[in-house]
């Protein structure tokens, strides 16, 4: 663990927790504590994973059994001009079959948001959380997570114009850093090299402008432009500019449905050359159906730089269906299908798909049990990235 992570909590998170505690005490002393809330919880899970290292089938089975222990407390305090929040937790993953697969992460974040003037707010935030290191692999799997820290400052402006139109402007500056992880980096001549201890340390700045206006009582159109720059400390090759313009429609025309459609143009320009131009777009439908069903559908074509600073182009579709089976029981099913190209592998195509099914039941007002099954599949031109995985999780949650 690197020097600037020494100590149980980053300094800002400590100050956030202390400030929240002082605010709560002051509110309680004045007999007005409705602005403060806190929610502790504890989750304990047993996990079976038949391929925790994402190995190709030719390497044989490598199943594992693990226990996950995840304590957490959420704190929130708000006044008309100031909002404070903190989400503090740990994530200990103890593998019972192979200790080398055991990991411990921290999920700590805090923010302070100040209303400067009507419509103008300033937000300071910091997070110390695990993030996924590679596309094509499950985002919450132990083997695909790396601890990171991110500090950001956001300035946001919103105003309602004549004719019920709205304008929103935002700028952000942030610094991101991570523990070391294995990364594939493009090299000269079309090849690539493997860095066993790559650290994603970068500064970034970004801004956006969105204008929205109604076309009917239940529909509006919008235009969104954004641009940003990212500069890696240890990889000058990865410094790049990211810009895009999109126009779209938001609709509530159909009862119980929220629809958003957008399309436009984007540019990803690396300092070392190799600009990428693409048509971008997305569609999202959130539909509250009869008999307690809720469905969510989305599809998007997007590009960006991944954690290692490599250019990635991705087309991804997601679907989710939820159903309440009674007052205390529910079930859900979701799937994802995507195709992506990673610059580090010479833009070879990879296709991944995942399906997940979950059944949950509230045992009491403060406890829940969940049973979860997930299947993941990755078919890649780069054979080393192709794998299949089954995971079963039984999870028990206690909360306030």
């Amino acid at each position: 663990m690197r020097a600037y992570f020494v100590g149980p909590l980053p300094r800002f998170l400590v100050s956030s927790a202390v400030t929240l505690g002082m605010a709560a005490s002051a509110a309680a002393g004045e007999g007005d504590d409705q602005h403060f809330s806190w929610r502790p919880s504890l989750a304990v899970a047993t996990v079976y994973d038949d391929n925790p290292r994402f190995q190709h089938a030719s390497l044989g089975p490598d199943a594992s059994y693990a226990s996950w222990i995840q304590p957490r407390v959420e704190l929130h305090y708000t006044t008309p001009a100031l909002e404070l929040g903190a989400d503090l937790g740990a994530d200990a993953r103890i593998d019972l079959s192979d200790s080398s697969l055991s990991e411990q992460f921290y999920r700590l974040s805090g923010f302070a948001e100040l209303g400067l003037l009507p419509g103008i707010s300033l937000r300071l935030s910091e997070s110390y959380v695990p993030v996924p290191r590679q596309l094509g692999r499950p985002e919450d799997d132990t083997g695909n997570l790396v601890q990171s820290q991110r500090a950001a400052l956001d300035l946001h402006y919103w105003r309602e114009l004549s004719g019920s139109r709205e304008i929103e402007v935002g700028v952000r500056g942030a610094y991101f850093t991570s523990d070391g992880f294995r990364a594939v980096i493009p090299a000269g001549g079309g090849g690539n090299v493997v860095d066993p201890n790559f650290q994603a340390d970068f500064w970034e700045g970004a801004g956006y402008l969105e204008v929205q206006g109604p076309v009917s009582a239940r529909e509006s159109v919008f235009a969104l432009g954004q641009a940003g720059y990212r500069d890696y400390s240890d990889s000058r090759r990865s410094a790049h500019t990211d810009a895009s313009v999109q126009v779209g429609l938001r609709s509530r025309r159909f009862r119980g449905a929220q629809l958003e459609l957008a399309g436009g143009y984007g540019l990803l320009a690396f300092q070392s050359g190799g600009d990428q131009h693409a048509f971008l777009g997305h569609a999202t439908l959130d539909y509250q159906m009869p008999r307690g069903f809720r469905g969510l559908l989305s599809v998007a074509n997007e590009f960006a730089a991944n954690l290692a600073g490599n250019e990635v182009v991705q087309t991804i579709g997601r679907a989710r269906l939820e159903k309440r089976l009674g007052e205390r029981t529910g079930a859900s099913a979701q799937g994802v299908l995507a195709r992506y190209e990673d610059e580090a592998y010479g833009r070879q195509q990879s296709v991944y798909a995942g399906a997940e099914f979950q059944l949950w039941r509230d045992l009491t007002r403060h406890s829940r049990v969940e049973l979860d099954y997930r299947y993941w599949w990755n078919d890649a031109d780069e054979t080393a990235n192709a794998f299949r995985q089954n995971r079963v999780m039984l999870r028990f949650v206690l909360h306030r």
Side-chain angles (χ1 to χ4, degrees):
M1 191 166 290
R2 303 176 68 182
Y4 43 75
F5 290 152
V6 170
L9 292 173
R11 221 174 351 177
F12 172 68
L13 297 177
V14 173
S15 64
S16 295
V18 171
T19 303
L20 280 167
M22 293 174 63
S25 298
E30 296 171 4
D32 182 19
D33 60 352
Q34 69 268 29
H35 298 302
F36 176 75
S37 64
W38 69 292
R39 187 174 188 268
S41 63
L42 173 65
V44 179
T46 299
V47 182
Y48 168 76
D49 189 332
D50 72 352
N51 190 6
R53 301 182 193 274
F54 313 110
Q55 294 184 155
H56 190 272
S58 62
L59 298 178
D62 185 29
S64 75
Y65 297 86
S67 291
W68 295 4
I69 304 171
Q70 299 167 322
R72 180 183 182 187
V73 60
E74 300 166 85
L75 305 168
H76 190 262
Y77 181 73
T78 181
T79 71
L82 176 66
E83 184 177 2
L84 301 171
D87 189 344
L88 313 175
D91 188 351
R93 303 187 175 190
I94 306 166
D95 197 284
L96 305 177
S97 52
D98 185 346
S99 60
S100 68
L101 294 171
S102 297
E103 292 284 352
Q104 180 169 314
F105 303 107
Y106 295 96
R107 298 180 182 274
L108 312 171
S109 59
F111 74 90
E113 185 164 344
L114 177 65
L116 302 177
L117 292 170
I120 301 178
S121 64
L122 182 68
R123 182 185 178 98
L124 171 65
S125 62
E126 184 165 353
S127 61
Y128 182 51
V129 297
V131 295
R133 66 181 75 179
Q134 185 172 328
L135 283 174
R137 296 179 176 180
E139 294 184 353
D140 67 338
D141 228 298
T142 305
N144 194 35
L145 292 176
V146 60
Q147 192 75 47
S148 72
Q149 184 169 350
R150 183 176 186 275
L153 185 65
D154 294 78
L155 183 63
H156 176 266
Y157 171 72
W158 175 90
R159 183 178 179 182
E160 185 173 2
L161 306 175
S162 61
S164 298
R165 293 173 298 163
E166 300 174 10
I167 183 171
E168 186 175 332
V169 182
V171 293
R172 168 183 298 168
Y175 180 67
F176 180 96
T177 187
S178 78
D179 285 353
F181 62 96
R182 182 182 181 276
V184 179
I185 309 297
N192 57 65
V193 296
V194 177
D195 186 338
N197 193 38
F198 182 87
Q199 292 173 322
D201 298 351
F202 56 80
W203 292 93
E204 63 180 358
Y208 71 90
L209 169 64
E210 179 175 343
V211 179
Q212 177 176 280
V215 292
S216 70
R218 303 181 66 86
E219 291 178 324
S220 62
V221 293
F222 68 92
L224 172 64
Q226 53 189 6
Y229 181 77
R230 180 183 294 183
D231 186 12
Y232 279 77
S233 302
D234 300 327
S235 178
R236 299 298 304 167
R237 177 202 66 82
S238 299
H240 65 273
T241 299
D242 182 356
S244 66
V245 177
Q246 296 191 60
V247 295
L249 169 73
R250 296 187 177 109
S251 174
R252 294 175 176 265
R253 174 176 292 274
F254 303 104
R255 183 177 179 182
Q258 299 180 47
L259 174 68
E260 179 169 310
L261 300 171
Y265 172 80
L267 167 69
L268 193 65
F270 283 82
Q271 186 169 297
S272 58
D275 296 356
Q276 175 72 32
H277 304 258
F279 289 100
L280 309 178
H282 71 266
T284 304
L285 174 64
D286 185 343
Y287 184 32
Q288 191 71 44
M289 296 175 282
R291 301 182 182 277
F293 283 96
R294 182 186 179 191
L296 295 95
L297 294 171
S298 69
V299 61
N301 186 63
E302 56 195 20
F303 65 3
N306 64 12
L307 198 60
N310 303 328
E311 175 194 324
V312 175
V313 181
Q314 180 174 231
T315 303
I316 183 168
R318 299 181 186 273
R320 180 178 176 86
L321 183 65
E322 303 173 355
K323 173 69 167 75
R324 296 288 299 218
L325 303 176
E327 191 172 315
R328 298 166 60 183
T329 307
S332 67
Q334 57 186 323
V336 58
L337 176 64
R339 179 187 64 83
Y340 71 96
E341 302 172 359
D342 191 326
E343 174 193 16
Y345 295 99
R347 302 189 186 282
Q348 296 182 33
Q349 292 189 13
S350 290
V351 177
Y352 66 85
E356 186 169 6
F357 306 91
Q358 184 181 75
L359 178 66
W360 56 264
R361 180 173 177 81
D362 289 328
L363 303 176
T364 68
R365 290 179 56 192
H366 303 293
S367 63
R368 170 180 287 198
V369 63
E370 303 170 354
L371 179 62
D372 183 281
Y373 167 73
R374 185 180 69 200
Y375 174 74
W376 202 270
W377 169 81
N378 189 329
D379 183 23
D381 293 337
E382 183 72 22
T383 305
N385 287 336
F387 69 92
R388 287 168 172 75
Q389 181 194 65
N390 293 274
R391 191 186 77 178
V392 180
M393 177 188 299
L394 180 62
R395 189 167 180 255
F396 182 70
V397 182
L398 287 172
H399 58 85
R400 179 177 178 269

